[in-house]
Amino acid sequence: MSEIGTVGIVGTGTMGTGIATNVAGHGIAVRLYDARPEAARGAIDQAKAFWAKSVERGRMTPAQAEAAAGRLAAVDGLGGLADCDLVIEAIFEEFSLKAKLFEELSGLLPERTLVATNTSCLRVSELARHMRKPDRFLGLHYFSPAQINPIVEVVRGEASAAATVEAGLAFCRATGKKPITCKDAYGFAINRFFCPYTNEACRLLDEGLATPAEVDAVAEEAVGAAAGPFRVQNLIKPRINLHAIQNLAPLGPFYAPAKSLIEVGEADRMWEIGQLGEIPPERRALIRDRIRLGVFLAVLQELDEEVATPADIDTGAREALRFAKPPCALMDELGRAEVERIVAPALARYGLKRPAALDRVGRLLAG
């Protein structure tokens, strides 16, 4: 498969702009299309501003910034992407909109072109059914901010050819990313446990067991989070987090969104975190267990489903989410008995079978 020399990006919102900035900054020409021409032009301005700051901080030379800017160009229609080697879709997370786009692209792009979706929660295999060449289709899920976050989930759909996945991995490495290969499963490798982690935080609030400030403080200890789940939700917006969790509904009631998250998300509000007071030891221990439960149970289930390897899951947790205590390493450290104690209440509450991966705890990262 030939090297990727030109990339087309459809959709120039936050993610599309970030992807374009990353790709152009690594020597690859980028063509931007947005249904709103002013948005594509604005994306170029944002990329230039990002590189200007990089120059100020000594991370780029003025010549490098100018060269990167010269690799960005807006096009007036999807036809302007016809000679791209790879086209990445980064439009709104609505299945029907994406499906329609891929049907249009199928009629415009040559069969050699790779097409990728940046979806964070839709099934890649289902989207691929709207492509003329589903074997040339895959998921490239970037994490925000895509300009600097090193992780990209490379998602192999049911029809994705091995060469397509290998090309996606090579492209990510060529643009300075750390790719994680994962199966096409709800939530992929990282959101599969990040969503329950934030959701369990909201359930603690619903049950009157903790305040947002207490949960955020304990999360820093429980998983080594750089920022607690409520603060992170305010950064990504509770509305967006709710949408991601709702897309995990087929996985069962453990993944059903908490009442407070539905209320805050649907109202498009932010969480009021408040001030932190003294946390009694018993409450701290309870919060710690519940935070770890949200992460551990989801990771054990995805290990059973072979969504991703323990090493890749931990890489994503460290690099994309900034968990200083990534889940598989933490479970190995705590041991099987302690991890089983933590997840057992949820297994009983939601009528779930015991994950087989529990028997590997203590040696998850050993292979």
Side-chain angles (χ1 to χ4, degrees):
M1 187 168 287
S2 59
E3 187 175 315
I4 293 170
T6 304
V7 173
I9 295 176
V10 182
T12 54
T14 300
M15 291 306 297
T17 299
I19 296 168
T21 304
N22 164 250
V23 174
H26 282 82
I28 298 175
V30 178
R31 294 182 181 167
L32 297 165
Y33 171 73
D34 196 290
R36 303 158 300 147
E38 70 278 5
R41 292 191 295 270
I44 294 174
D45 290 340
Q46 289 179 53
K48 289 179 178 177
F50 176 83
W51 292 321
K53 288 183 179 178
S54 295
V55 170
E56 290 176 10
R57 294 167 182 167
R59 296 172 182 168
M60 295 178 82
T61 66
Q64 288 172 329
E66 184 178 354
R71 298 185 194 107
L72 288 177
V75 297
D76 295 330
L78 290 174
L81 308 178
D83 61 349
C84 291
D85 302 303
L86 166 66
V87 173
I88 302 174
E89 166 274 312
I91 66 173
F92 185 69
E93 286 282 73
E94 175 72 40
F95 185 91
S96 61
L97 293 176
K98 292 180 187 285
K100 181 181 178 183
L101 170 64
F102 293 131
E103 289 168 2
E104 290 182 38
L105 287 172
S106 288
L108 293 170
L109 301 176
E111 292 188 354
R112 69 172 182 82
T113 306
L114 292 178
V115 179
T117 174
N118 182 54
T119 185
S120 62
C121 54
L122 300 174
R123 292 294 297 273
V124 171
S125 300
E126 292 175 3
L127 290 170
R129 295 189 180 102
H130 296 269
M131 289 295 304
R132 183 177 59 193
K133 290 283 292 178
D135 60 310
R136 307 282 291 179
F137 186 79
L138 76 162
L140 290 178
H141 176 221
Y142 286 73
F143 285 80
S144 186
Q147 298 93 323
I148 57 175
N149 195 307
I151 297 299
V152 179
E153 290 176 315
V154 178
V155 186
R156 56 186 188 278
E158 294 168 2
S160 302
T164 297
V165 175
E166 286 303 315
L169 292 168
F171 167 72
C172 290
R173 295 185 186 109
T175 54
K177 298 299 186 182
K178 295 180 180 179
I180 291 174
T181 307
C182 59
K183 193 164 74 173
D184 184 21
Y186 291 105
F188 307 141
I190 308 306
N191 276 349
R192 176 64 177 265
F193 66 87
F194 174 74
C195 288
Y197 159 75
T198 58
N199 199 39
E200 204 64 25
C202 298
R203 284 178 176 156
L204 283 165
L205 185 62
D206 290 353
E207 296 165 27
L209 298 174
T211 67
E214 290 172 336
V215 173
D216 276 5
V218 176
E220 294 176 12
E221 168 202 348
V223 295
F230 288 103
R231 182 180 165 198
V232 168
Q233 286 185 78
N234 281 350
L235 292 173
I236 63 175
K237 294 190 178 180
R239 172 178 55 82
I240 292 174
N241 192 49
L242 172 62
H243 182 67
I245 291 174
Q246 287 171 328
N247 277 281
L248 301 183
L251 295 170
F254 171 65
Y255 295 86
K259 180 182 177 182
S260 58
L261 177 55
I262 293 172
E263 292 174 354
V264 172
E266 289 184 346
D268 199 14
R269 301 199 317 265
M270 297 293 191
W271 291 105
E272 295 181 9
I273 296 176
Q275 297 297 312
L276 178 65
E278 186 69 27
I279 307 174
E282 300 83 359
R283 188 184 304 167
R284 180 177 290 274
L286 183 149
I287 297 169
R288 182 174 60 244
D289 279 357
R290 290 286 292 273
I291 286 294
R292 287 176 172 172
L293 161 66
V295 174
F296 289 173
L297 181 52
V299 168
L300 291 167
Q301 289 180 333
E302 70 168 303
L303 289 174
D304 278 2
E305 297 164 21
E306 299 182 336
V307 175
T309 67
D312 276 351
I313 289 169
D314 276 13
T315 296
R318 272 193 308 267
E319 302 282 354
L321 305 181
R322 297 181 66 198
F323 281 11
K325 301 176 183 178
C328 294
L330 180 56
M331 285 193 284
D332 279 348
E333 178 185 334
L334 294 174
R336 185 195 58 76
E338 176 65 0
V339 172
E340 189 142 20
R341 180 192 70 78
I342 290 170
V343 303
L347 297 180
R349 179 178 179 181
Y350 298 105
L352 299 170
K353 71 175 184 179
R354 180 182 180 277
L358 265 171
D359 294 326
R360 294 159 48 204
V361 168
R363 51 187 175 83
L364 289 170
L365 292 173

